[in-house]
Every structure is written in C-alpha cells, then in structure tokens.
Amino acid sequence: MKIETITLREIRMPLVHFFETSFGRVYSRRILLLTAGCEGVEGWGECVAGEDPFYSSEWIETAWSTIKEYLAPAILGRPLTAAHEVAGLMAKVRGHRMAKAAIENAAWDAEARQKQQPLWKLLGGTTREIQCGVSIGIQDSIEQLLDRIETELAAGYRRIKVKVKPGWDLNVLERIRSRWPDILLSCDANSAYRLDEVEHLRKFDRFELLMIEQPLWNDDIYYHARLQRELKTAICLDESIRHARDAAAALETGACRIVNVKVGRVGGFSEARKVHDVCQDNNVPVWCGGMLETGVGRAHNIALSTLQNFRLPGDVSASRRYWAEDIIEPEVVVSPQGTITVSDEPGTGYRIREDLIEKLAVRKETF
Ligand code: OSB
Ligand code: MG
C-alpha cells in the first residue's frame, strides 16, 4: 500500500456537557481529523491533542504543523507492506506522538478497508464485546455529580471514574461510597498531587477504589513507585506511559498495578499493542482510556479494546454522552448491560459522515 495524500481538517464541536479535570474545564472541542488517501480507499484518523498543552505538551497547533512539515513528507508516496511500518518512517521525529498516531491510525483504517477486514481483527482482537465505564468530570456541586453518577449507573455502565483534585476528593468519594457501597469506582487526579501528600493520599484507601489514576507528576515513574509502596489502592498510570518501554519500567519498579492505554498518547496502534503486550506478559490488566473523541477516534478505541488484556471497563462510552450529533453513523451506543458489540463489517463498521464534517470544518489542507 501507499499513502498518496493526507488531508487535515479542523472541526469545532460543542460538548453536550462541559468536562472538567484538575487542569481545567472545556465546553467545546477543536478536533483535528486526518484522511489518508491510499490507492482509491480512504483511511480516517483523529488526533487526540487538546485545545491547550495541559494534558500533554502537544496541542492541536503543534500537531497540525508537525504533520504538515515533517510527518506527512516522511510517509507520502512511500511503499508500505502494512500500516504498522508507518511508525518506523516517522521515528526520526521525537515525541509528537498524538500527531503520529493520527497518521498511523488512518493507515490502519485504510489497510482494513483495503483488505475488507474488520479493523479489530486486523489488530488482533479476540472478543466482540467490550466493557464500558464512564469518566465524570468535576462538577459545580457534589449533588450534581451524584445525579450524573445515578444516570450513568442506570444506563448500565460498569465502572464509574471521577476526576479528583485537592479540595474535590475525600469529601466527594465519601458521599459516593455512602450512597453506592459496592460499585466499581475509581478516580483520576491528572497529576494534581505531590509525594509529600502521601498521608492525604493514604486516606483514599478506605474507599476500596479499583484504582487511583495518575496521582503524581505527568512525566514521573520513580516517585509513583515510592507512592505505590505506601498505598493499598492500586495506582494506574496514564500520562506517564508514553511507550512500551515506559510500561516495562513502571511494572519493573512497581509504579503501578494497572495501565491506561490511550492510542494517541503512545503514538499509534502499533505502540499501543506493544504496551498491551508488555502488561499482559506481566499479568497486569489494561483498559482503554478516552480523550473526548468524536466517533472517528471512538471507533478506533473500540477496535483496540477487543485485544485480550483489556480486562477492565474502559473510558469508551456512548456518543450521546459527548455530542448532540456524532460524525459517524450509526453513532456509538452502549447496551443496558454496559457493553459495546463490535461490528463484523470491514473497517471500523461505522460510516464517516463526510457531509457533516465538511460543514463543521473551519480549516482544511491537503498534502
Ligand atoms: O485523564 O483520562 C484522562 C479527558 C481528557 C484528557 C484526559 C483524560 C480525559 C478523560 C475523559 O478522563 C475520558 C473520556 O470520556 O473520553
Ligand atoms: Mg487519565
């Protein structure tokens, strides 16, 4: 196969409900979509870089210019035997993993369509049913948060994750646990704590959480290992895991007992599979994280979640939780049992609504 053209589009989509983490609140998303033109078929990818360089150093402007100036020139017109080879061609560029993932994932998408195979099978998936959880942001009041949790539990979701930060943590978890003593519950700090707060973090142990996600610095493994030794609750790393080597180092040092795999954060499907495999070899479960994706990225997260070691419910949930109208058809729906059944059709099994995307686009460039 050969990638002959790359088209970037920026679309703007308001969220149905704002999303707040320890680093801020978003009401509306700027999303970068990438189309790879490949011998008559098109592959689509979504770049999960945010509006700001807060979750990671990448944001949509760095992704756009890095793709334009470096990544697209490195792969356009090159003969490829399979999509995973794209990663090697882009390896000279350091970092910029979300930008790289948009290209590599579009290439996988194209390969699946070209071979008329379901993407999840091409990736090596083993199950047609994935387990879904939800990530619920910081709200204006605890009552509002409890209402949202009630709605999600009624919808069937199998795990509730709440965002925490100093001042919105023990008080919140206490109220959730007193109302729902037995639900699968976790929290995500997005790096809001420091190691000298270990006494405070130890108090999280009483809530029997499935995990505490990324309590310390976004680029740290070593101090998470120190912290994990002090906690009963399992640490799950998100931001800190940039590739399979980080995962190996985190497991070797005991920095976490669970890993969140985000295909954009690690640079694409091939590295995501390597992270998955390292964890599987160490008997550490993984789950699929989310980045408030549209249907394009969401469909890719669903395909990835079919791999064997995705043993915990992910942050992969229904389109309607985010968007009044998603850009794929059908939109992603979750069963009353909190599962998504993966399609056996070629590609992702979702059709891209190109007319709608064209209407939403505020910027477009083809290389
Ligand atoms: O840390 O998992 C995170 C959203 C944006 C940036 C970081 C994170 C998140 C989420 C949302 O938790 C997951 C989702 O519902 O897509
Ligand atoms: Mg996280």
Side-chain angles (χ1 to χ4, degrees):
M1 69 193 273
K2 188 164 34 159
I3 299 177
E4 292 147 340
T5 61
I6 285 181
T7 300
L8 282 180
R9 286 183 186 81
E10 179 189 336
I11 60 170
R12 304 255 167 120
M13 302 239 292
L15 288 163
V16 165
H17 189 273
F18 66 79
F19 193 80
E20 183 173 329
T21 61
S22 60
F23 50 75
R25 188 179 275 196
V26 277
Y27 290 91
S28 180
R29 300 239 32 232
R30 296 174 64 189
I31 290 154
L32 208 159
L33 296 174
L34 187 147
T35 317
C38 214
E39 298 151 336
V41 288
E42 279 194 333
W44 286 76
E46 175 169 345
C47 180
V48 300
E51 292 72 37
D52 307 290
F54 298 162
Y55 167 84
S56 79
S57 61
E58 284 188 270
W59 61 298
I60 75 156
E61 295 295 341
T62 64
W64 190 291
S65 51
T66 305
I67 290 168
K68 176 177 175 168
E69 306 287 341
Y70 294 98
L71 303 177
I75 57 133
L76 282 170
R78 297 292 201 93
L80 302 166
T81 57
H84 66 84
E85 290 181 3
V86 164
L89 295 175
M90 301 187 294
K92 183 175 176 187
V93 174
R94 290 189 178 161
H96 298 282
R97 282 175 286 274
M98 293 174 178
K100 289 174 177 171
I103 297 189
E104 194 197 312
N105 296 354
W108 279 90
D109 200 73
E111 184 180 341
R113 288 175 204 230
Q114 207 169 51
K115 293 183 170 164
Q116 289 287 299
Q117 251 189 59
L119 175 62
W120 67 273
K121 281 192 181 159
L122 192 63
L123 287 168
T126 56
T127 175
R128 282 200 55 200
E129 194 170 73
I130 70 163
Q131 301 187 64
C132 308
V134 289
S135 172
I136 307 179
I138 294 165
Q139 306 296 315
D140 288 325
S141 69
I142 298 184
E143 284 65 36
Q144 282 171 19
L145 177 67
L146 298 178
D147 284 349
R148 294 186 67 83
I149 294 174
E150 177 150 49
T151 304
E152 305 298 6
L153 289 172
Y157 286 103
R158 296 184 175 196
R159 185 225 61 204
I160 301 290
K161 155 175 147 185
V162 294
K163 294 289 185 178
V164 290
K165 64 175 183 181
W168 180 273
D169 49 13
L170 300 174
N171 48 345
V172 171
L173 295 169
E174 181 70 54
R175 293 281 299 278
I176 299 172
R177 264 301 179 229
S178 59
R179 181 136 159 215
W180 295 284
D182 300 321
I183 57 167
L184 216 47
L185 179 65
S186 70
C187 70
D188 185 357
N190 289 110
S191 307
Y193 299 94
R194 296 296 171 253
L195 193 62
D196 61 10
E197 292 170 287
V198 56
E199 285 312 320
H200 178 72
L201 291 167
R202 239 201 284 269
K203 295 184 184 141
F204 285 54
D205 280 345
R206 72 169 92 114
F207 303 113
E208 307 271 353
L209 303 175
L210 176 62
M211 66 193 119
I212 173 169
E213 187 176 338
Q214 198 71 37
L216 306 177
W217 301 270
N218 70 290
D219 58 355
D220 170 75
I221 290 174
Y222 177 81
Y223 291 102
H224 279 96
R226 296 250 308 256
L227 178 63
Q228 180 66 92
R229 275 183 248 132
E230 304 295 326
L231 302 182
K232 232 172 49 193
T233 308
I235 291 177
C236 169
L237 290 178
D238 173 356
E239 285 89 327
S240 296
I241 307 298
R242 301 161 299 174
H243 37 58
R245 249 180 328 101
D246 277 341
L251 302 186
E252 199 176 307
T253 53
C256 64
R257 297 191 204 127
I258 297 174
V259 171
N260 169 337
V261 181
K262 285 182 183 165
V263 63
R265 192 194 66 224
V266 303
F269 279 130
S270 48
E271 194 66 24
R273 287 202 304 193
K274 288 183 192 158
V275 173
H276 164 276
D277 293 350
V278 164
C279 294
Q280 185 163 41
D281 292 345
N282 285 275
N283 199 25
V284 163
V286 303
W287 54 277
C288 185
M291 293 290 285
L292 313 176
E293 288 92 345
T294 71
V296 173
R298 197 165 295 279
H300 287 178
N301 289 343
I302 291 168
L304 182 67
S305 302
T306 65
L307 271 67
Q308 198 168 29
N309 195 38
F310 282 84
R311 283 185 275 152
L312 296 171
D315 279 348
V316 182
S317 58
S319 298
R320 57 181 296 234
R321 295 188 61 249
Y322 307 83
W323 317 113
E325 203 179 6
D326 203 344
I327 57 174
I328 56 166
E329 220 172 38
E331 60 170 40
V332 174
V333 291
V334 169
S335 75
Q337 291 72 44
T339 60
I340 294 172
T341 303
V342 186
S343 169
D344 254 333
E345 293 190 16
T348 61
Y350 297 94
R351 195 185 69 79
I352 309 276
R353 297 178 63 185
E354 293 189 48
D355 295 353
L356 178 58
I357 291 171
E358 215 58 76
K359 266 199 292 194
L360 296 170
V362 294
R363 181 157 61 140
K364 177 178 174 181
E365 202 172 349
T366 297
F367 316 116

